[in-house]
Amino acid sequence: WWWYTITSNLRHLNPYDIQHFPIPKSAISDRTMQSLGRRYIEDIDRKSTMHARRQRQTGLTETQQFRIQDSKDIINEIDGTLAKHYGFTDEELDFIINYDIKYRMGLT
């Protein structure tokens, strides 16, 4: 989240945002990370909703809306696994998991 907020326009995910994200090579080859990534994608897709809107100029448009906060348990598992690759302490991991939680969980 932090990387996204400082490198992007907060509306679009650009190739630069992904290509320049500092991630250890060990995390990329970690089978646990790969499994968590698949679970996460499946989870957010399953919990997403499609919304149709009729617009005067473009007609009917559909958008898929994701409620990322509904997948917080898997996100926490991902954070815990990544923390090992970055060498974070328990205190640092706790900070990451709870960073901006009221906003990330839609509690405001």
Side-chain angles (χ1 to χ4, degrees):
W1 175 250
W2 176 79
W3 179 261
Y4 178 68
T5 60
I6 65 167
T7 62
S8 76
N9 63 9
L10 298 177
R11 291 181 55 116
H12 304 97
L13 186 59
N14 295 302
Y16 177 90
D17 304 327
I18 297 168
Q19 293 164 350
H20 290 87
F21 186 82
I23 188 165
K25 291 186 187 307
S26 62
I28 294 170
S29 61
D30 184 330
R31 299 261 187 232
T32 301
M33 280 301 307
Q34 294 168 10
S35 174
L36 285 168
R38 282 189 294 277
R39 278 183 46 213
Y40 175 67
I41 295 300
E42 291 166 3
D43 195 60
I44 63 171
D45 189 52
R46 185 176 60 255
K47 294 175 180 174
S48 71
T49 54
M50 294 301 293
H51 292 273
R53 226 173 100 175
R54 184 161 304 281
Q55 298 182 0
R56 199 172 301 165
Q57 292 181 350
T58 58
L60 185 66
T61 60
E62 285 190 321
T63 56
Q64 186 174 15
Q65 293 184 344
F66 299 95
R67 290 184 42 86
I68 302 303
Q69 64 267 33
D70 291 348
S71 299
K72 181 76 165 102
D73 290 343
I74 295 174
I75 293 169
N76 289 349
E77 287 184 61
I78 292 169
D79 287 342
T81 303
L82 280 174
K84 295 172 190 168
H85 291 280
Y86 284 98
F88 293 159
T89 65
D90 289 341
E91 292 81 18
E92 291 168 325
L93 174 58
D94 183 64
F95 177 82
I96 290 167
I97 287 174
N98 294 297
Y99 178 77
D100 257 354
I101 196 149
K102 66 181 179 180
Y103 299 105
R104 293 169 73 190
M105 296 299 291
L107 302 174
T108 61

